[in-house]
């Protein structure tokens, strides 16, 4: 409840992004002002930020089921968006995939029991360990980490997203 209230407060204060993490075993929220966000890549490049492979092996001691859940979802779906229902950036990303007609598996971390929070086995903490990204949305395409809302929109604008997905079986774009 405290985490949720803090995220709402950040939203109302005009925060540009929510950051999930822990410090001294207590959850915290940090904001990034729009002036601190990276600039979008130029439209002349197909996509300047390469998608990142996930590590082949992750320490699954005491958290195997959470890691297994993440890997299962990203390997069995062409597009997966780890999201939160209250996040405006997540809404933008979901709307992007809807407009493009791309079926995406949406996993709202605030709606699953171990989705958010500082617990070592929460999905948010495991995603941070796997990708280095603290924010939602956290987007995966064809088993690779694309990034967040900005990266998804950049890939859509450049045509890279459509090109990546047009090479998959059964997905007509």
């Amino acid at each position: 409840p405290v985490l949720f209230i803090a995220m709402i407060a950040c939203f109302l204060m005009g925060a540009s992004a929510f950051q999930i993490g822990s410090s001294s075993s207590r959850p915290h929220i940090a904001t990034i002002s729009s002036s601190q966000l990276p600039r979008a890549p130029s439209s002349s490049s197909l996509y300047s930020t390469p998608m990142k492979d996930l590590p082949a092996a992750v320490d699954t001691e005491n958290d195997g089921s959470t890691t297994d859940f993440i890997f299962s979802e990203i390997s069995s779906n062409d597009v997966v968006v780890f999201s939160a229902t209250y996040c405006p950036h997540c809404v933008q990303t979901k709307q992007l995939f809807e407009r493009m007609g791309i079926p995406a598996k949406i996993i709202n971390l605030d709606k699953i029991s171990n989705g958010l929070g500082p617990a070592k086995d929460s999905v948010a903490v495991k995603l941070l360990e796997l990708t280095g990204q603290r924010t939602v949305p956290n987007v995966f395409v064809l088993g690779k980490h694309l990034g967040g809302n900005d990266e998804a929109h950049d890939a859509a604008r450049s045509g890279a997203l459509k090109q990546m997905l047009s090479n998959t079986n059964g997905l007509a774009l």
Side-chain angles (χ1 to χ4, degrees):
V2 172
L3 179 62
F4 180 73
I5 292 168
M7 287 180 178
I8 294 296
C10 287
F11 175 72
L12 293 175
M13 292 169 42
S16 297
F18 299 111
Q19 188 170 14
I20 305 165
S22 62
S23 174
S24 305
S25 303
R26 292 178 31 206
H28 69 276
I29 306 295
T31 58
I32 300 171
S33 71
S34 56
S35 64
Q36 294 172 304
L37 294 173
R39 300 193 89 152
S42 69
S43 58
S44 62
S45 68
L46 180 62
Y47 188 65
S48 64
T49 305
M51 293 187 6
K52 300 163 231 51
D53 287 316
L54 294 178
V58 175
D59 178 18
T60 58
E61 181 181 329
N62 300 323
D63 59 41
S65 64
T66 302
T67 304
D68 291 345
F69 166 74
I70 293 169
F71 278 108
S72 173
E73 292 297 332
I74 63 175
S75 66
S76 60
N77 296 284
D78 288 339
V79 177
V80 178
V81 179
F82 290 94
S83 179
T85 58
Y86 52 79
C87 170
H89 301 286
C90 298
V91 170
Q92 291 173 353
T93 298
K94 291 182 256 189
Q95 289 172 343
L96 170 71
F97 287 115
E98 287 173 11
R99 277 193 313 274
M100 294 183 72
I102 298 172
K105 172 75 181 258
I106 308 297
I107 301 169
N108 288 308
L109 298 181
D110 59 324
K111 296 295 182 184
I112 58 176
S113 62
N114 67 334
L116 294 173
K120 182 178 166 182
D121 66 341
S122 76
V123 175
V125 170
K126 287 290 133 200
L127 285 169
L128 172 60
E129 291 174 6
L130 291 169
T131 67
Q133 180 178 323
R134 293 182 176 273
T135 58
V136 293
N138 203 330
V139 181
F140 292 83
V141 177
L142 301 176
K144 295 187 182 217
H145 183 241
L146 177 63
N149 182 50
D150 289 342
E151 291 82 8
H153 277 83
D154 290 344
R157 264 191 301 280
S158 72
L161 185 59
K162 202 173 224 182
Q163 182 180 359
M164 287 182 270
L165 292 168
S166 67
N167 297 327
T168 64
N169 295 331
L171 193 62
L173 299 175

